[in-house]
Amino acid sequence: MTIQTVSTNKSHGGVQGVYRHASQATGTDMVFSVYIPPYADGAKLPVVWYLSGLTCTHANVTEKGEFRRACAELGLIFVAPDTSPRGPDVPGDANNAYDFGLGAGFYVDATQQPFARNYRMWSYVTDELPKLVAENFPVDARRQSVMGHSMGGHGALTVALRNPHRFRAASAFAPIVAPSLVPWGIKALTGYLGPNKDSWRNHDTVALIEDGAKFSGFLIDVGEADNFLNEQLKPELLEAACAKAGIPLTLRRQAGYDHSYYFISTFMSDHLHWHAQKLKA
């Protein structure tokens, strides 16, 4: 699989790159970013996957996430894919809503028309893109972790729970932990997977835990001033599920912080140091 370099910039001694490739999973061109920290020739580095939230592309965290200094110090590769397929032939929401269709792939493989052809983000982020990155960058595939924000927090936690032997750590900022129970998730899962709620459970963190999925532990930050906290995020449901299942959870409620990248960038270094401890153990 070949990639096209869109741009590269030196940063904190490493290289921030943006790349494009033709995706077999989505049937579209896909753009993603990779930060490679300074490293010795021949070295293989641990990788942190970052899944973004509604309306975002790779660019949001790349430009506003403030992760490069910590990644350079810790020797971490940081990969940020897009959130959905894009292009003139890709179907979006009929009403151009922000929470479904373009920019809102929800990290599932759609089964419903007209979305099933292109909206295969689960396959993209768990299979196709990891193989592509491993072929083109100095990744140590034995040391991977995953994190995300909001819709991407939902993606990161479900990816970790369904692939516990691949990922050593998982964390999230303001994740949608129970999409089956909240408006964002109900709309997306109905549209992509259909009305049978049993088919939703593999893409619902709380449901996966209820059904027996395990992971080594999670770090979660939520902002107490987040407008979506009570209606869409419901971190208390994850707290209860992890407590019942015996899954270690560090849930930090940050006073005064909202849903934005001002919040994410403030605590990004904390998360990356936490990931580094797990990845280098």
Side-chain angles (χ1 to χ4, degrees):
M1 293 185 283
T2 59
I3 62 173
Q4 173 190 351
T5 300
V6 177
S7 65
T8 57
N9 297 92
K10 188 169 183 178
S11 180
H12 295 286
V15 176
Q16 177 64 65
V18 177
Y19 307 93
R20 177 183 292 111
H21 74 110
S23 168
Q24 294 181 355
T26 68
T28 66
D29 282 357
M30 295 293 287
V31 178
F32 63 98
S33 76
V34 182
Y35 178 71
I36 305 294
Y39 70 102
D41 288 346
K44 295 290 187 178
L45 304 178
V47 57
V48 178
W49 298 88
Y50 180 93
L51 305 184
S52 292
L54 288 167
T55 76
C56 292
T57 69
H58 72 282
N60 297 73
V61 70
T62 304
E63 297 171 0
K64 298 186 288 188
E66 298 184 20
F67 56 85
R68 279 173 286 271
R69 180 184 294 276
C71 285
E73 293 173 353
L74 298 166
L76 301 175
I77 293 174
F78 191 97
V79 182
D82 202 346
T83 54
S84 70
R86 299 178 193 271
D89 298 324
V90 176
D93 183 79
N95 297 315
N96 293 317
Y98 75 95
D99 56 355
F100 187 73
L102 300 178
F106 262 83
Y107 304 102
V108 304
D109 283 352
T111 60
Q112 303 301 297
Q113 297 302 329
F115 305 102
R117 182 185 65 185
N118 303 117
Y119 285 78
R120 297 181 50 79
M121 291 302 297
W122 181 267
S123 292
Y124 182 69
V125 300
T126 65
D127 184 34
E128 183 178 27
L129 187 60
K131 289 178 180 177
L132 184 69
V133 169
E135 290 174 1
N136 289 277
F137 302 96
V139 167
D140 182 353
R142 300 168 300 172
R143 295 186 291 162
Q144 299 187 63
S145 69
V146 62
M147 65 189 300
H149 169 233
S150 193
M151 177 185 74
H154 135 76
L157 298 180
T158 57
V159 164
L161 284 164
R162 290 175 59 183
N163 298 275
H165 301 298
R166 183 191 298 188
F167 297 100
R168 295 193 185 184
S171 74
F173 302 101
I176 306 169
V177 303
S180 299
L181 303 177
V182 302
W184 277 342
I186 292 169
K187 179 177 181 178
L189 297 178
T190 301
Y192 295 134
L193 302 180
N196 182 357
K197 293 186 177 182
D198 288 341
S199 69
W200 300 1
R201 296 187 71 82
N202 274 340
H203 294 286
D204 183 306
T205 297
V206 169
L208 282 166
I209 293 171
E210 291 174 347
D211 293 344
K214 298 289 187 181
F215 198 70
S216 56
F218 301 119
L219 170 62
I220 307 294
D221 273 309
V222 296
E224 290 186 342
D226 190 323
N227 291 335
F228 304 113
L229 184 63
N230 296 321
E231 182 182 22
Q232 305 282 11
L233 308 182
K234 297 186 179 296
E236 67 277 4
L237 298 180
L238 178 63
E239 193 170 33
C242 285
K244 185 174 182 179
I247 296 174
L249 170 66
T250 300
L251 175 59
R252 307 191 304 184
R253 294 176 170 87
Q254 306 291 359
Y257 285 91
D258 58 18
H259 200 71
S260 72
Y261 269 89
Y262 296 109
F263 159 59
I264 296 167
S265 62
T266 299
F267 300 103
M268 177 66 80
S269 181
D270 286 1
H271 281 240
L272 291 172
H273 277 83
W274 186 80
H275 281 262
Q277 290 178 346
K278 309 286 187 181
L279 289 167
K280 296 182 179 183

